[in-house]
Amino acid sequence: MFSIEDVVLPALEKPLYWLGAVTAAWLSLCSVYRLLAGFKVWVLGNGLLVSPTKLGKWAVVTGATDGIGKAYAEELARRGFSIVLISRSQEKLDEVSKEIGSKCGVETKTIAADFSSVNIYSKIEDGLAGLEIGVLVNNVGISYSYPEFFLSVPNLDNFIDTLVNINITSVCQMTRLVLPQMTERKKGAILNISSASGMYPVPLLTIYSASKAFVDFFSRGLQAEYKSKGVIIQSVLPFFVATKLSKIRRPTLDKPSPERYVAAELNTVGLQTQTNGYLPHAIMGWVSTALLPASILSTHVMGMALSQRARYLKKQKQG
């Protein structure tokens, strides 16, 4: 006698076999594609794209006197761009301008502007008038002085306005100023420096994290709008880089110097709309967003923030 299993199982074996074979083939193809794409981005790169001949004579960098901003200004000058440096302190601007001019032999221009204010953009527009801008690096930004609960952030009312003006409004307004001529020439690149903190919520740095998420979404939306116009708009999401803002003094493999980070990031322009900019950071981004469950990541990030907050407050009491 035949049981129902004798009839059903043979009928299922062949479809299940082909389903498994197709799934395995698809996963293999996806893996090969990812490996080839990663090789193209992180080994071959696209460094020849970011040049004055392909994008335009001038590069504009905000927050250009320290850290990542200064590194962008120096690297772009090394590649032959004339540089417009925009930051708050004219004294620091003059120092960086002189340094870049002597090292790279390119033309420089400075514009002193405090991005915590919103009435600066007519002055910046006048300063950029007549320049063929090939690259804009929207780098200026601020974070918390230490991790803190939202309602306990010192001088919260003013802090909200200042952070939004610097981290969000500046990106929108600077883009407004340079994008028209880029679309007219059908070439140019806008690099918006977001943060890995914008890839997922970071408790106790909530306003900062949310502002960087805005920069990321703003960049990706604009890229979809203006890709057909020949303009590259890239969202850059670094993890920790050894800068004053991060309070990291010594570079390591996963916390590179600004110079090392920027040299790697510029090779991704035109290859990735959204990038962590640096291979170790890309691996960290993949692990934190694709592998770790959101609840575990949130608990881990919250624990780190609470620990940093406790150390800061303890140090303040001792001081």
Side-chain angles (χ1 to χ4, degrees), residues 60 62 84-87 109 111-115 117 119-131 133 136 170 173-174 176-178:
V60 179
T62 67
V84 180
L85 305 161
I86 308 180
S87 198
K109 180 181 176 70
I111 302 173
D114 183 353
F115 284 98
S117 175
N119 61 358
I120 58 172
Y121 295 100
S122 59
K123 175 185 177 181
I124 294 174
E125 185 173 16
D126 291 341
L128 299 180
L131 302 182
I133 299 170
L136 167 64
S170 70
Q173 291 286 10
M174 291 301 301
R176 174 184 67 84
L177 294 181
V178 305

Side-chain angles (χ1 to χ4, degrees), residues 50 164 171 190 202 239 268 306 315:
V50 184
V164 169
V171 175
I190 298 175
V202 179
F239 281 80
T268 71
L306 286 170
K315 190 175 181 180

Side-chain angles (χ1 to χ4, degrees), residues 76-118:
L76 290 167
R78 190 184 67 78
R79 295 181 182 218
F81 287 92
S82 298
I83 306 294
V84 180
L85 305 161
I86 308 180
S87 198
R88 183 174 56 180
S89 168
Q90 186 63 56
E91 183 180 355
K92 287 186 177 181
L93 285 168
D94 291 339
E95 288 176 8
V96 175
S97 175
K98 184 178 179 181
E99 185 179 335
I100 289 176
S102 62
K103 276 185 181 179
C104 305
V106 298
E107 188 178 355
T108 62
K109 180 181 176 70
T110 65
I111 302 173
D114 183 353
F115 284 98
S116 65
S117 175
V118 293

Side-chain angles (χ1 to χ4, degrees), residues 35-58:
L35 286 172
L36 291 175
F39 182 82
K40 183 179 180 181
V41 172
W42 303 114
V43 178
L44 299 179
N46 200 24
L48 295 178
L49 172 66
V50 184
S51 68
T53 54
K54 293 192 176 181
L55 297 177
K57 178 181 178 181
W58 288 85

Side-chain angles (χ1 to χ4, degrees), residues 245-256:
L245 183 67
S246 67
K247 299 180 176 66
I248 297 170
R249 296 181 180 180
R250 295 184 179 179
T252 61
L253 178 63
D254 64 322
K255 302 176 183 66

